[in-house]
Amino acid sequence: MNGLSFRTLAVSTFTAIAFALMSVNISAEPLRLGSGQVPTIAFSPDGAILAASHRTDPESDIYSTQVVILWDPQTHQQVDMLEMLNIYVMAFSPDGTLLALGGDDHKIHLWDVAGRNEVGLMQSPSHLDVTSLVFSPDGKTLASSGGGDKMVYLWDVQSQQQVGTLRGHTGLGVVAIVFSPDGRLIFSGGHRGDEAIRIWDVQAQQQVGELAGHSDVTYDLAFSPDGTILASAGGWNDKAVYLWDVQTQNQVGMLGGHLAHVLSIAFSLNGKIPASTVNWDDTIHFWDIEKQEHVGIFEHHDAIDSGWASYVAFSSDGKWLACGSEDGVELWELDRPDKALTELMLLVMSEFHFGNVDAELAWDSLVNVQAALAALDTGNLDEAQAALNALEALITQNKNPRAGRITPEAAAEIVQRATEIIIIVALGQ
């Protein structure tokens, strides 16, 4: 029996399995929790709870008629619902006991996560919408800012009293704020006309530096896990994520190529592959921070139609990637590349069964998928990625003499699934 006949026979043995695929979910789409537009999300520090603000009235304004739902990402079940309306931002305290919520009632609400009851209420001095909230690393201080307000306010969490004001921004408002990992500094991003990221000494409540480079709004700020790099998400004039060396306060890179405002940026657990979301863009982008190159995308993200929101977040345990969307919370499982590879294997068999992939290409594709699975079993992530890269090359570069016998739709789906798994493997390295 020649090699081709053997391969044809071997692949044909999958046909019976392929018939059963009608009842198997091999979609690349993420799991969706709940419904309605979700403008903001936050993982608890231990990754056990995912809080999300869901818009419940499709006829209302994007930020109107919302409830805050607490989800268990592991079971995909709703844990509780907080009767809160019009929430723009939320943040968990570092110990996970408190959830701070801010919105259009000009107040900051503190909820006891375990007791599911409100334990604090702080009135914004500006009487403007609360649009940014962040806890200090020790959980003792909460920083906030509001839409159209040029101040950053500091609050004592225990007494719920305002203990400071950071003055100096000159634009339309402070859009993003973040504490340095040691809690000594606050970085705040301004609006148009005030594009520099300002650096503040928390104890002295004085500006001690600035990061100049953006030419538009800074929509989001995020530190790498080791605290050495600050990433800032730029608006329409930038369409990029800027990377800053925290120690030298110099720009050390730029992740460009976005098509619109970069609204959200989040670092993976290993700090190597940040993710970003873009207004009106139904994809989540991933980047190699060392090479400053685009790694790939997750498709099937459903960006909010108005162009805003779609915040992205990694759980601290590295198991989940979540993103707000036009319809519920999107949840991707990151710690099971073997599961994703098995689903890819089923996809190849399904495409073969329906005549979208010829026998030899199906066989060679499955050989690469099996090689990736074997590499994962031994913990060799580099070999797993190499096997998936070989699969992509096989499909896209027609290295197989008969690789032309595949429909463009099947080729695109297989390559996209392989790309997503390459990203998932890289996130775990």
mmCIF file of all heavy atoms in Angstrom, residues 173-207:
data_model
loop_
_atom_site.group_PDB
_atom_site.id
_atom_site.type_symbol
_atom_site.label_atom_id
_atom_site.label_comp_id
_atom_site.label_asym_id
_atom_site.label_seq_id
_atom_site.Cartn_x
_atom_site.Cartn_y
_atom_site.Cartn_z
ATOM 1 N N GLY A 173 -10.193 66.345 31.389
ATOM 2 C CA GLY A 173 -10.419 65.461 32.522
ATOM 3 C C GLY A 173 -9.333 64.421 32.658
ATOM 4 O O GLY A 173 -8.442 64.316 31.829
ATOM 5 N N VAL A 174 -9.409 63.639 33.735
ATOM 6 C CA VAL A 174 -8.489 62.527 33.987
ATOM 7 C C VAL A 174 -9.217 61.240 33.618
ATOM 8 O O VAL A 174 -10.254 60.922 34.190
ATOM 9 C CB VAL A 174 -8.036 62.496 35.456
ATOM 10 C CG1 VAL A 174 -7.094 61.329 35.697
ATOM 11 C CG2 VAL A 174 -7.375 63.815 35.835
ATOM 12 N N VAL A 175 -8.677 60.522 32.672
ATOM 13 C CA VAL A 175 -9.380 59.367 32.117
ATOM 14 C C VAL A 175 -8.920 58.053 32.743
ATOM 15 O O VAL A 175 -9.720 57.151 32.971
ATOM 16 C CB VAL A 175 -9.196 59.312 30.590
ATOM 17 C CG1 VAL A 175 -9.943 58.122 29.992
ATOM 18 C CG2 VAL A 175 -9.679 60.612 29.962
ATOM 19 N N ALA A 176 -7.621 57.937 33.042
ATOM 20 C CA ALA A 176 -7.086 56.672 33.562
ATOM 21 C C ALA A 176 -6.117 56.948 34.697
ATOM 22 O O ALA A 176 -5.335 57.896 34.639
ATOM 23 C CB ALA A 176 -6.381 55.898 32.448
ATOM 24 N N ILE A 177 -6.166 56.122 35.735
ATOM 25 C CA ILE A 177 -5.241 56.237 36.863
ATOM 26 C C ILE A 177 -4.791 54.845 37.296
ATOM 27 O O ILE A 177 -5.533 53.867 37.163
ATOM 28 C CB ILE A 177 -5.867 56.972 38.072
ATOM 29 C CG1 ILE A 177 -7.247 56.390 38.412
ATOM 30 C CG2 ILE A 177 -5.959 58.461 37.830
ATOM 31 C CD1 ILE A 177 -7.911 57.046 39.613
ATOM 32 N N VAL A 178 -3.545 54.764 37.808
ATOM 33 C CA VAL A 178 -3.028 53.495 38.301
ATOM 34 C C VAL A 178 -1.957 53.774 39.344
ATOM 35 O O VAL A 178 -1.215 54.759 39.238
ATOM 36 C CB VAL A 178 -2.449 52.653 37.128
ATOM 37 C CG1 VAL A 178 -1.225 53.318 36.513
ATOM 38 C CG2 VAL A 178 -2.131 51.240 37.570
ATOM 39 N N PHE A 179 -1.901 52.938 40.373
ATOM 40 C CA PHE A 179 -0.830 52.995 41.370
ATOM 41 C C PHE A 179 0.377 52.219 40.873
ATOM 42 O O PHE A 179 0.235 51.195 40.184
ATOM 43 C CB PHE A 179 -1.283 52.374 42.699
ATOM 44 C CG PHE A 179 -2.051 53.295 43.597
ATOM 45 C CD1 PHE A 179 -3.435 53.365 43.527
ATOM 46 C CD2 PHE A 179 -1.398 54.089 44.540
ATOM 47 C CE1 PHE A 179 -4.155 54.198 44.363
ATOM 48 C CE2 PHE A 179 -2.108 54.926 45.386
ATOM 49 C CZ PHE A 179 -3.486 54.990 45.295
ATOM 50 N N SER A 180 1.565 52.680 41.237
ATOM 51 C CA SER A 180 2.761 51.879 41.011
ATOM 52 C C SER A 180 2.683 50.651 41.918
ATOM 53 O O SER A 180 1.996 50.669 42.946
ATOM 54 C CB SER A 180 4.021 52.686 41.314
ATOM 55 O OG SER A 180 4.035 53.106 42.672
ATOM 56 N N PRO A 181 3.360 49.555 41.569
ATOM 57 C CA PRO A 181 3.270 48.333 42.385
ATOM 58 C C PRO A 181 3.671 48.514 43.840
ATOM 59 O O PRO A 181 3.167 47.811 44.715
ATOM 60 C CB PRO A 181 4.224 47.375 41.661
ATOM 61 C CG PRO A 181 4.207 47.830 40.244
ATOM 62 C CD PRO A 181 4.108 49.328 40.322
ATOM 63 N N ASP A 182 4.576 49.474 44.135
ATOM 64 C CA ASP A 182 4.966 49.698 45.525
ATOM 65 C C ASP A 182 4.054 50.693 46.227
ATOM 66 O O ASP A 182 4.221 50.961 47.424
ATOM 67 C CB ASP A 182 6.422 50.163 45.622
ATOM 68 C CG ASP A 182 6.684 51.480 44.886
ATOM 69 O OD1 ASP A 182 5.711 52.155 44.477
ATOM 70 O OD2 ASP A 182 7.866 51.833 44.720
ATOM 71 N N GLY A 183 3.106 51.278 45.516
ATOM 72 C CA GLY A 183 2.135 52.181 46.121
ATOM 73 C C GLY A 183 2.621 53.588 46.359
ATOM 74 O O GLY A 183 1.860 54.430 46.845
ATOM 75 N N ARG A 184 3.875 53.889 46.010
ATOM 76 C CA ARG A 184 4.403 55.222 46.297
ATOM 77 C C ARG A 184 3.971 56.261 45.264
ATOM 78 O O ARG A 184 3.922 57.452 45.568
ATOM 79 C CB ARG A 184 5.935 55.179 46.360
ATOM 80 C CG ARG A 184 6.511 54.356 47.477
ATOM 81 C CD ARG A 184 8.018 54.545 47.588
ATOM 82 N NE ARG A 184 8.687 54.263 46.314
ATOM 83 C CZ ARG A 184 9.179 55.197 45.507
ATOM 84 N NH1 ARG A 184 9.070 56.477 45.822
ATOM 85 N NH2 ARG A 184 9.794 54.856 44.379
ATOM 86 N N LEU A 185 3.678 55.814 44.048
ATOM 87 C CA LEU A 185 3.371 56.740 42.967
ATOM 88 C C LEU A 185 2.001 56.451 42.357
ATOM 89 O O LEU A 185 1.513 55.311 42.401
ATOM 90 C CB LEU A 185 4.429 56.643 41.862
ATOM 91 C CG LEU A 185 5.879 56.936 42.245
ATOM 92 C CD1 LEU A 185 6.796 56.641 41.064
ATOM 93 C CD2 LEU A 185 6.041 58.375 42.707
ATOM 94 N N ILE A 186 1.407 57.495 41.802
ATOM 95 C CA ILE A 186 0.203 57.363 40.983
ATOM 96 C C ILE A 186 0.520 57.913 39.605
ATOM 97 O O ILE A 186 1.150 58.972 39.466
ATOM 98 C CB ILE A 186 -0.992 58.119 41.600
ATOM 99 C CG1 ILE A 186 -1.568 57.333 42.783
ATOM 100 C CG2 ILE A 186 -2.091 58.346 40.556
ATOM 101 C CD1 ILE A 186 -2.735 58.028 43.454
ATOM 102 N N PHE A 187 0.098 57.188 38.575
ATOM 103 C CA PHE A 187 0.210 57.644 37.198
ATOM 104 C C PHE A 187 -1.206 57.959 36.705
ATOM 105 O O PHE A 187 -2.125 57.140 36.885
ATOM 106 C CB PHE A 187 0.849 56.571 36.320
ATOM 107 C CG PHE A 187 2.283 56.280 36.652
ATOM 108 C CD1 PHE A 187 2.629 55.573 37.798
ATOM 109 C CD2 PHE A 187 3.305 56.708 35.811
ATOM 110 C CE1 PHE A 187 3.950 55.302 38.116
ATOM 111 C CE2 PHE A 187 4.630 56.441 36.112
ATOM 112 C CZ PHE A 187 4.953 55.749 37.272
ATOM 113 N N SER A 188 -1.391 59.116 36.093
ATOM 114 C CA SER A 188 -2.715 59.515 35.626
ATOM 115 C C SER A 188 -2.634 60.005 34.196
ATOM 116 O O SER A 188 -1.733 60.758 33.820
ATOM 117 C CB SER A 188 -3.303 60.607 36.525
ATOM 118 O OG SER A 188 -2.466 61.754 36.576
ATOM 119 N N GLY A 189 -3.571 59.559 33.374
ATOM 120 C CA GLY A 189 -3.608 59.933 31.965
ATOM 121 C C GLY A 189 -4.700 60.947 31.700
ATOM 122 O O GLY A 189 -5.842 60.777 32.148
ATOM 123 N N GLY A 190 -4.367 61.989 30.970
ATOM 124 C CA GLY A 190 -5.306 63.067 30.718
ATOM 125 C C GLY A 190 -6.058 62.942 29.414
ATOM 126 O O GLY A 190 -5.950 61.960 28.679
ATOM 127 N N HIS A 191 -6.812 64.013 29.131
ATOM 128 C CA HIS A 191 -7.648 64.093 27.942
ATOM 129 C C HIS A 191 -6.945 64.947 26.894
ATOM 130 O O HIS A 191 -5.803 65.375 27.083
ATOM 131 C CB HIS A 191 -9.014 64.680 28.315
ATOM 132 C CG HIS A 191 -10.144 64.127 27.523
ATOM 133 N ND1 HIS A 191 -10.325 64.436 26.187
ATOM 134 C CD2 HIS A 191 -11.162 63.297 27.859
ATOM 135 C CE1 HIS A 191 -11.404 63.818 25.739
ATOM 136 N NE2 HIS A 191 -11.936 63.122 26.728
ATOM 137 N N ARG A 192 -7.628 65.219 25.801
ATOM 138 C CA ARG A 192 -7.060 66.061 24.749
ATOM 139 C C ARG A 192 -6.695 67.431 25.301
ATOM 140 O O ARG A 192 -7.438 68.017 26.069
ATOM 141 C CB ARG A 192 -8.046 66.203 23.595
ATOM 142 C CG ARG A 192 -8.268 64.910 22.836
ATOM 143 C CD ARG A 192 -9.178 65.114 21.624
ATOM 144 N NE ARG A 192 -9.384 63.836 20.939
ATOM 145 C CZ ARG A 192 -10.410 63.031 21.191
ATOM 146 N NH1 ARG A 192 -11.291 63.352 22.128
ATOM 147 N NH2 ARG A 192 -10.531 61.892 20.536
ATOM 148 N N GLY A 193 -5.560 67.920 24.867
ATOM 149 C CA GLY A 193 -5.049 69.179 25.380
ATOM 150 C C GLY A 193 -4.157 69.002 26.584
ATOM 151 O O GLY A 193 -3.528 69.961 27.043
ATOM 152 N N ASP A 194 -4.102 67.794 27.099
ATOM 153 C CA ASP A 194 -3.282 67.491 28.283
ATOM 154 C C ASP A 194 -2.839 66.040 28.158
ATOM 155 O O ASP A 194 -3.180 65.187 28.977
ATOM 156 C CB ASP A 194 -4.101 67.728 29.551
ATOM 157 C CG ASP A 194 -3.304 67.489 30.830
ATOM 158 O OD1 ASP A 194 -2.063 67.604 30.773
ATOM 159 O OD2 ASP A 194 -3.913 67.190 31.859
ATOM 160 N N GLU A 195 -2.060 65.755 27.110
ATOM 161 C CA GLU A 195 -1.805 64.359 26.744
ATOM 162 C C GLU A 195 -0.728 63.674 27.571
ATOM 163 O O GLU A 195 -0.600 62.449 27.516
ATOM 164 C CB GLU A 195 -1.413 64.284 25.260
ATOM 165 C CG GLU A 195 -2.541 64.605 24.301
ATOM 166 C CD GLU A 195 -2.655 66.098 24.013
ATOM 167 O OE1 GLU A 195 -1.785 66.862 24.506
ATOM 168 O OE2 GLU A 195 -3.601 66.503 23.308
ATOM 169 N N ALA A 196 0.064 64.410 28.337
ATOM 170 C CA ALA A 196 1.129 63.784 29.121
ATOM 171 C C ALA A 196 0.539 62.953 30.259
ATOM 172 O O ALA A 196 -0.478 63.312 30.858
ATOM 173 C CB ALA A 196 2.065 64.849 29.694
ATOM 174 N N ILE A 197 1.189 61.828 30.521
ATOM 175 C CA ILE A 197 0.846 61.021 31.691
ATOM 176 C C ILE A 197 1.601 61.604 32.874
ATOM 177 O O ILE A 197 2.829 61.675 32.871
ATOM 178 C CB ILE A 197 1.234 59.550 31.469
ATOM 179 C CG1 ILE A 197 0.472 58.985 30.263
ATOM 180 C CG2 ILE A 197 0.962 58.721 32.725
ATOM 181 C CD1 ILE A 197 0.991 57.652 29.789
ATOM 182 N N ARG A 198 0.873 62.035 33.882
ATOM 183 C CA ARG A 198 1.501 62.697 35.030
ATOM 184 C C ARG A 198 1.829 61.678 36.117
ATOM 185 O O ARG A 198 1.083 60.712 36.318
ATOM 186 C CB ARG A 198 0.604 63.799 35.573
ATOM 187 C CG ARG A 198 0.348 64.906 34.540
ATOM 188 C CD ARG A 198 -0.569 65.984 35.079
ATOM 189 N NE ARG A 198 -0.877 66.943 34.013
ATOM 190 C CZ ARG A 198 -0.201 68.072 33.801
ATOM 191 N NH1 ARG A 198 0.824 68.376 34.581
ATOM 192 N NH2 ARG A 198 -0.557 68.887 32.828
ATOM 193 N N ILE A 199 2.936 61.910 36.797
ATOM 194 C CA ILE A 199 3.407 61.016 37.864
ATOM 195 C C ILE A 199 3.347 61.787 39.181
ATOM 196 O O ILE A 199 3.873 62.907 39.285
ATOM 197 C CB ILE A 199 4.844 60.538 37.590
ATOM 198 C CG1 ILE A 199 4.955 59.947 36.189
ATOM 199 C CG2 ILE A 199 5.271 59.516 38.643
ATOM 200 C CD1 ILE A 199 6.372 59.624 35.767
ATOM 201 N N TRP A 200 2.723 61.177 40.188
ATOM 202 C CA TRP A 200 2.496 61.854 41.464
ATOM 203 C C TRP A 200 3.113 61.063 42.614
ATOM 204 O O TRP A 200 3.027 59.828 42.642
ATOM 205 C CB TRP A 200 0.999 61.995 41.731
ATOM 206 C CG TRP A 200 0.207 62.577 40.603
ATOM 207 C CD1 TRP A 200 -0.331 61.904 39.542
ATOM 208 C CD2 TRP A 200 -0.132 63.954 40.421
ATOM 209 N NE1 TRP A 200 -0.992 62.763 38.712
ATOM 210 C CE2 TRP A 200 -0.893 64.043 39.225
ATOM 211 C CE3 TRP A 200 0.117 65.117 41.151
ATOM 212 C CZ2 TRP A 200 -1.404 65.243 38.742
ATOM 213 C CZ3 TRP A 200 -0.398 66.315 40.674
ATOM 214 C CH2 TRP A 200 -1.134 66.382 39.483
ATOM 215 N N ASP A 201 3.694 61.784 43.553
ATOM 216 C CA ASP A 201 4.112 61.197 44.817
ATOM 217 C C ASP A 201 2.890 61.174 45.723
ATOM 218 O O ASP A 201 2.319 62.220 46.038
ATOM 219 C CB ASP A 201 5.234 62.028 45.450
ATOM 220 C CG ASP A 201 5.751 61.417 46.739
ATOM 221 O OD1 ASP A 201 4.993 61.383 47.728
ATOM 222 O OD2 ASP A 201 6.920 60.998 46.757
ATOM 223 N N VAL A 202 2.458 59.973 46.120
ATOM 224 C CA VAL A 202 1.214 59.838 46.869
ATOM 225 C C VAL A 202 1.301 60.526 48.230
ATOM 226 O O VAL A 202 0.382 61.255 48.636
ATOM 227 C CB VAL A 202 0.846 58.351 47.037
ATOM 228 C CG1 VAL A 202 -0.407 58.200 47.906
ATOM 229 C CG2 VAL A 202 0.639 57.692 45.682
ATOM 230 N N GLN A 203 2.389 60.306 48.937
ATOM 231 C CA GLN A 203 2.498 60.878 50.283
ATOM 232 C C GLN A 203 2.597 62.402 50.241
ATOM 233 O O GLN A 203 1.912 63.103 50.995
ATOM 234 C CB GLN A 203 3.715 60.299 51.007
ATOM 235 C CG GLN A 203 3.828 60.762 52.458
ATOM 236 C CD GLN A 203 4.945 60.040 53.199
ATOM 237 O OE1 GLN A 203 5.656 59.230 52.613
ATOM 238 N NE2 GLN A 203 5.088 60.318 54.480
ATOM 239 N N ALA A 204 3.427 62.938 49.355
ATOM 240 C CA ALA A 204 3.592 64.388 49.262
ATOM 241 C C ALA A 204 2.461 65.045 48.481
ATOM 242 O O ALA A 204 2.275 66.273 48.582
ATOM 243 C CB ALA A 204 4.927 64.718 48.606
ATOM 244 N N GLN A 205 1.706 64.240 47.709
ATOM 245 C CA GLN A 205 0.636 64.746 46.853
ATOM 246 C C GLN A 205 1.149 65.827 45.910
ATOM 247 O O GLN A 205 0.526 66.873 45.714
ATOM 248 C CB GLN A 205 -0.541 65.246 47.701
ATOM 249 C CG GLN A 205 -1.172 64.157 48.540
ATOM 250 C CD GLN A 205 -2.394 64.589 49.306
ATOM 251 O OE1 GLN A 205 -3.046 65.579 48.958
ATOM 252 N NE2 GLN A 205 -2.726 63.864 50.366
ATOM 253 N N GLN A 206 2.311 65.553 45.326
ATOM 254 C CA GLN A 206 2.954 66.472 44.401
ATOM 255 C C GLN A 206 3.317 65.738 43.107
ATOM 256 O O GLN A 206 3.658 64.552 43.131
ATOM 257 C CB GLN A 206 4.241 67.059 45.006
ATOM 258 C CG GLN A 206 4.018 67.899 46.253
ATOM 259 C CD GLN A 206 3.330 69.217 45.952
ATOM 260 O OE1 GLN A 206 3.517 69.793 44.878
ATOM 261 N NE2 GLN A 206 2.527 69.705 46.886
ATOM 262 N N GLN A 207 3.244 66.444 41.986
ATOM 263 C CA GLN A 207 3.697 65.861 40.733
ATOM 264 C C GLN A 207 5.215 65.783 40.731
ATOM 265 O O GLN A 207 5.898 66.758 41.064
ATOM 266 C CB GLN A 207 3.223 66.688 39.540
ATOM 267 C CG GLN A 207 3.602 66.062 38.203
ATOM 268 C CD GLN A 207 3.046 66.822 37.009
ATOM 269 O OE1 GLN A 207 2.056 67.540 37.132
ATOM 270 N NE2 GLN A 207 3.684 66.658 35.857
#
